[in-house]
Amino acid sequence: MTSAVESTEAPAVPGLDEAGRALLFTEARTANAFADTPVSDEQLAAIWELTRWAPTGGNLQPLRVTFVRTPEGRERLLPLMNEGNRAKTASAPVTAILAVDSRFHEYAPTVLPIRPQMKDALEADEAGRSAIGQLNGPLQAGYFILAIRAQGLVAGPMAGFDAAGIDAEFFPDGRWKSLLVINIGHPGENPWFARLPRLDPTDVIRWA
C-alpha cells in the first residue's frame, strides 16, 4: 500500500491579460478634467477594499483616507489647493485626501498579532515610527491609484497643495498628516495632457 504524499509544488499564480495591464498601467492616464458622472459610496468603498490587501512593512498600514464630496467639504478644500490644481479639483466629483496616521502603531496588536509588542516598541521609537510611515504611506498611495483604475475610474494625483493648511482644516488633532490629494471620477472633456516619455530600461535597470 502506498501512502499519499502531499504535494509541495507552489500553486500557479495567474497573470493579468493585456486588457488588465492596459487598464492599470500602459494605457492609464492622469486625469485633468472630469465628467459630471457621480461616483458612488460603493465605488469608493471598493477602492479601499482593494487597497487594504496590498502589502506594507509589518502589515502596519499607516495610510488613512478622507473622501471630500460634499459642497461644504469642497469649499474647505479648494482654497488650500495650488492655483493650478483648483479647476481640476473643482470639476472632480470626489477628491481623496491621503494621509499618514502618526499613531498607526496603536493598531499593531490587531494587524500584527504575532508581534503585539510592536505597539510598545514603536511608541518608544518615534524616529523608527516616522520612517515606517514615510515609506509605507506613499507605498499604499500607489496601491490606491491602481485601485481607482481597477474600478473603472480615473485618478488625478496631486502634490500641489498647502499641506499645513489641509492638516489644520481636516485633521486638527494633529494625528493624521496629509500626503497626497487625488481627484477621482470619470474623464471629462479633453482630460489628458500629451503623454510624456518614460525612461528607457537600459537607463534604469541593472542585472547582478
Side-chain angles (χ1 to χ4, degrees), residues 135-152:
L135 172 63
N136 290 280
L139 182 64
Q140 285 189 283
Y143 301 145
F144 190 88
I145 292 170
L146 294 180
I148 293 170
R149 295 171 174 177
Q151 292 301 317

Side-chain angles (χ1 to χ4, degrees), residues 148-161:
I148 293 170
R149 295 171 174 177
Q151 292 301 317
L153 299 166
V154 293
M158 301 169 293
F161 57 88

Side-chain angles (χ1 to χ4, degrees), residues 53-73:
W53 292 109
T56 54
N59 198 39
L60 290 169
Q61 308 167 50
L63 191 71
R64 305 292 183 260
V65 183
T66 297
F67 288 116
V68 180
R69 59 183 311 175
T70 66
E72 296 78 13

Side-chain angles (χ1 to χ4, degrees), residues 41-207:
D41 290 349
E42 291 75 18
Q43 287 175 300
L44 297 176
I47 291 168
W48 181 252
E49 183 61 26
L50 290 177
T51 302
R52 74 190 186 104
W53 292 109
T56 54
N59 198 39
L60 290 169
Q61 308 167 50
L63 191 71
R64 305 292 183 260
V65 183
T66 297
F67 288 116
V68 180
R69 59 183 311 175
T70 66
E72 296 78 13
R74 295 159 72 81
E75 287 178 6
R76 295 164 60 198
L77 176 62
L78 285 174
L80 301 170
M81 302 302 299
N82 287 4
E83 186 175 354
N85 288 331
R86 285 178 194 158
K88 63 183 77 173
T89 302
S91 76
V94 181
T95 300
I97 304 172
L98 304 193
V100 172
D101 183 356
S102 63
R103 298 195 59 77
F104 64 85
H105 61 290
E106 293 181 356
Y107 294 93
T110 298
V111 298
L112 193 62
I114 59 173
R115 293 186 65 192
Q117 66 271 25
M118 282 291 289
K119 176 181 177 180
D120 293 335
L122 289 173
E123 178 67 36
D125 183 8
E126 184 176 356
R129 194 167 77 234
S130 177
I132 290 172
Q134 289 175 11
L135 172 63
N136 290 280
L139 182 64
Q140 285 189 283
Y143 301 145
F144 190 88
I145 292 170
L146 294 180
I148 293 170
R149 295 171 174 177
Q151 292 301 317
L153 299 166
V154 293
M158 301 169 293
F161 57 88
D162 177 357
I166 283 184
D167 291 349
E169 179 67 31
F170 289 90
F171 317 128
D173 65 359
R175 175 166 171 154
W176 293 11
K177 302 295 183 181
S178 56
L179 172 67
L180 194 66
V181 173
I182 304 180
N183 292 323
I184 302 171
H186 297 271
E189 185 176 357
N190 299 320
W192 324 122
F193 294 152
R195 184 118 203 187
L196 296 173
R198 269 34 179 188
L199 290 173
D200 190 89
T202 58
D203 295 320
V204 298
I205 296 177
R206 295 180 181 178
W207 304 87

